[in-house]
Each structure stands twice: as structure tokens, then as C-alpha cells.
Amino acid sequence: MVEKKKLFCVSYHKTGTSSAHQLFLQNGISSCHSPAVVDGNRYEAMVAKILSDKAGVVRVLQPVIEKYDAHFDIPWAGIYHELLDMRDDAVFLYIDRDADSWWNSLAAHWSLSVMPRVLRPYEVLQYSHVLPADKRLVRSADEALFKDCFARHREQVHRIIPADRLITLRLDDQDVAARLSDAAGLTVSGCIPHANRRKSKSFRLARNLYSLLRNAYRFGWSY
């Protein structure tokens, strides 16, 4: 029996993080997806003030880390170096995806054909290893830049995280549940569901306009 570990997904958003999160929930495993607000605490707002202090970010998120066994989506891809050093009980999941399909999904999710995206603090943190430090606004013209970031992040993850602490898979792999169970000491069964089906273009645009205003209210523009 493998000792139970804390699992952190370090692949980028729009790689299937919501689907993997749902698989864990279906198996009765405590799992958190993008901990902006947990138990009334506005963790993303706290983190926005200390983005350059990644060890400090891990310390701020410590209550969230202890509360859940599995952690998905932003911001974990940006702080895996610190998690490696600070958490001996951490294992890491990388969900692979073709860069072109990843960018197409991200661009549609952010409505980049209609409006630019102002990165949230967690998104700034996620891309911090590969994007310029002052990059906050994303446009459709940034396709080549973000595909390069995607490739560099994949390479860095596999070079830096020891093989015995890293699980790499694709959503359509047949042995996903068994490999997750073996690596993380958690009992996982079943197939990964398709949890985040694409909404209509008008729905996504309305959601992104709302997110822009909400995020400006929550975090301001100075992070």
C-alpha cells in the first residue's frame, strides 16, 4: 500500500484539470479546483500581494493544502519548485495535451477573438516561469508566445520534478485510475469524465466581461 500523498496538478488550465478533479470527487477524494476563496478566505487576493515570493505563496495556501488531498488548476503550475522543497509528501500530475488544441481551447475560453484577457493573479503565478514578469494582457496575437510557454513548461516540469514524484498522462489513457492510485496512495477508479464542455460564444463573452469586472474589483490592477 502506497502512503497517501498530497497530489498537485502542474499542467496548465485547459488541459483537462476540471475533468481530473471530477474523477477524484467521484471517488470520494477531497479535491480542490482553483482555490480563489476557501472557507470564506480570499486566498487569491492574499496571494496577489506577494506574487514574487513563491515560498510565501505556499505558506499562505497552507490551510488549503492541508484541507484537500488533491489540488487542480491554477496556481499550482507556477509554484511546483517550492512545493518540491517544502512538501516531502507531494506528488505531481502533468496532463499532456497537444499545444495547438490547448491554445485553441484557451483562446476560445478567454474570448480572445473579441476581447483581450487581463490575467488573474493566479494566472500570473501559473505562467511566471515562462512569461515576462510584467505580462498582464493577453491577445489573440500572443498565440506563438503562449505555445512556446506551453512547450517550455512541459520541458521544465519533466526535467525538474523527479520521475518518482511525477505522473504524466493524457485524458484518454486507459490506465489513468490505476496509475493515480499507485503514485498517490489514493483509491481511484473509473474513467475521467468530460467535465468542461465548451459553452456558446455569447455565453463565454458574457462570462469573460463579468470576470473582467469582478477581478478588477477583487484585485485591482496593481499586482
Side-chain angles (χ1 to χ4, degrees), residues 19-209:
S19 297
H21 166 64
Q22 286 299 319
L23 175 66
F24 276 67
L25 292 179
Q26 289 173 11
N27 281 271
I29 297 167
S30 60
S31 180
C32 184
H33 189 271
S34 184
V37 181
V38 178
D39 295 333
N41 297 305
R42 298 184 176 274
Y43 285 101
E44 190 168 10
M46 297 181 210
V47 164
K49 301 173 183 177
I50 56 168
L51 290 177
S52 62
D53 178 11
K54 294 186 179 182
V57 169
V58 174
R59 287 191 289 269
V60 167
L61 293 174
Q62 193 66 21
V64 177
I65 292 171
E66 297 303 332
K67 182 179 176 71
Y68 299 96
D69 288 328
H71 302 271
F72 290 90
D73 210 67
I74 50 178
W76 308 107
I79 53 176
Y80 66 87
H81 294 80
E82 289 69 29
L83 291 166
L84 268 172
D85 292 338
M86 300 171 70
R87 301 287 312 201
D88 291 337
D89 62 344
V91 294
F92 302 90
L93 170 64
Y94 183 85
I95 305 172
D96 207 359
R97 185 176 186 180
D98 174 77
D100 289 327
S101 64
W102 170 76
W103 170 257
N104 291 337
S105 179
L106 183 65
H109 181 68
W110 281 349
S111 302
L112 292 183
S113 64
V114 181
M115 59 183 288
R117 169 75 172 188
V118 179
L119 294 177
R120 289 170 50 178
Y122 275 173
E123 291 167 347
V124 172
L125 195 58
Q126 173 182 258
Y127 292 110
S128 59
H129 296 303
V130 288
L131 271 184
D134 60 349
K135 182 71 171 176
R136 296 291 184 273
L137 198 65
V138 183
R139 297 183 171 88
S140 58
D142 288 317
E143 177 178 355
L145 172 64
F146 271 72
K147 285 182 182 178
D148 179 65
C149 289
F150 186 85
R152 289 167 57 200
H153 176 65
R154 176 196 283 142
E155 185 278 327
Q156 290 174 12
V157 162
H158 288 85
R159 174 168 47 85
I160 293 169
I161 299 178
D164 62 348
R165 298 180 70 179
L166 178 64
I167 315 155
T168 299
L169 54 81
R170 298 181 69 93
L171 291 184
D172 56 358
D173 286 348
Q174 298 302 306
D175 59 348
V176 166
R179 289 169 62 195
L180 289 173
S181 298
D182 289 344
L186 303 167
T187 303
V188 183
S189 62
C191 299
I192 293 181
H194 192 170
N196 225 357
R197 298 186 184 277
R198 186 177 295 182
K199 306 291 195 250
S200 69
K201 187 174 182 178
S202 59
F203 177 92
R204 295 195 307 269
L205 178 59
R207 179 196 59 204
N208 286 318
L209 286 170

